[in-house]
């Protein structure tokens, strides 16, 4: 996922709201996790997903984690050391209204704090990059939504895989009938 990692590194320099998009199984969550592990060494991070996000808004999340005060106070404290990050894996899969409320309240609070960056993953939608339940004003307050695309494995990534696992050479060869399927990491793991 070399290209996606480089694109995310570049985007994080100037963008405050980044969505890593791609088809199911291409490695969006890995790119997110890889970036989060790297920045966690020098900046505070919060990581949420569909299961780890309590429904009901900030008060329920704060209660679950034992955090006093408002979301703005908490996020401001995190960002005082030069910035902080909120990572949301599968933002488009959060279909519970209570969990959507929690995420929205965190995003709204983060949008008011300079130096706070939000990075999420989402599957590739039809014709639009919008997240239907997310208030457009939140995205606008964060400077708009910037997209980083994660696609099928590149030739360079295939070469690295083949070098590390020579048994994959035949399956990943462009002449193999399953070559297109095999360039999706999830499907490759199943093949």
């Amino acid at each position: 996922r070399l290209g996606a990692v480089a694109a995310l590194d570049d985007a994080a320099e100037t963008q405050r709201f980044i969505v890593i998009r791609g088809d199911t199984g291409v490695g969006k969550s890995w790119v997110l996790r890889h970036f989060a592990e790297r920045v966690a060494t020098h900046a505070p991070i919060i990581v949420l997903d569909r299961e780890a996000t309590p429904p009901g808004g900030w008060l329920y999340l704060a209660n679950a984690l034992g955090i006093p005060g408002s979301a703005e106070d908490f996020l401001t404290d995190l960002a005082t050391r030069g910035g902080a990050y909120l990572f949301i894996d599968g933002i488009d899969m959060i279909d519970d209204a209570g969990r959507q409320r929690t995420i929205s309240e965190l995003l709204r609070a983060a949008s008011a704090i300079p130096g706070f960056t939000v990075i999420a993953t989402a599957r590739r939608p039809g014709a639009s990059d919008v997240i239907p339940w997310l208030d457009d004003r939140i995205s606008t307050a964060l400077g708009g939504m910037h997209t980083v695309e994660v696609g099928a494995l590149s030739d360079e990534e295939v070469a690295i895989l083949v070098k590390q696992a020579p048994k994959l050479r035949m399956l990943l060869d462009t002449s193999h009938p399953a070559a297109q399927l095999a360039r999706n990491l999830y499907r490759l793991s199943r093949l």
Side-chain angles (χ1 to χ4, degrees):
R1 309 313 13 208
L2 304 172
V5 168
L8 181 55
D9 285 344
D10 289 345
E13 293 290 325
T14 59
Q15 304 297 319
R16 292 189 59 214
F17 187 22
I18 303 163
V19 178
I20 303 165
R21 289 199 181 269
D23 292 330
T24 301
V26 296
K28 300 177 299 292
S29 295
W30 182 89
V31 171
L32 179 85
R33 183 173 48 251
H34 178 73
F35 188 86
E37 288 171 352
R38 287 188 2 233
V39 300
T41 63
H42 64 275
I45 68 170
I46 301 169
V47 181
L48 295 173
D49 66 14
R50 185 169 148 179
E51 304 304 319
T53 304
W58 165 251
L59 291 177
Y60 288 92
L61 177 63
N63 187 47
L65 299 176
I67 301 168
S70 69
E72 291 82 4
D73 292 342
F74 175 67
L75 297 180
T76 299
D77 286 346
L78 289 181
T80 57
R81 291 188 271 164
Y85 293 83
L86 171 60
F87 295 97
I88 308 164
D89 194 18
I91 193 168
D92 62 317
M93 295 174 57
I94 299 173
D95 52 9
D96 174 79
R99 287 180 168 86
Q100 291 170 356
R101 177 180 172 189
T102 302
I103 297 291
S104 292
E105 289 180 9
L106 278 170
L107 291 175
R108 190 172 291 109
S111 72
I113 301 166
F116 217 102
T117 302
V118 178
I119 303 176
T121 64
R123 294 168 292 182
R124 185 175 292 124
S128 171
D129 280 346
V130 300
I131 298 162
W133 55 265
L134 186 61
D135 186 337
D136 290 339
R137 292 174 292 189
I138 295 172
S139 179
T140 300
L142 283 164
M145 186 185 307
H146 180 82
T147 301
V148 170
E149 289 287 334
V150 180
L153 292 171
S154 69
D155 291 338
E156 181 182 2
E157 291 168 325
V158 167
I160 292 169
L161 276 174
V162 168
K163 185 175 181 179
Q164 293 178 356
K167 292 180 181 182
L168 295 176
R169 179 179 311 279
M170 186 173 72
L171 185 60
L172 290 168
D173 188 272
T174 55
S175 64
H176 191 282
Q180 291 305 95
L181 288 174
R183 292 212 172 200
N184 175 297
L185 288 174
Y186 175 77
R187 293 179 184 132
L188 176 61
S189 72
R190 296 300 175 239
L191 291 171

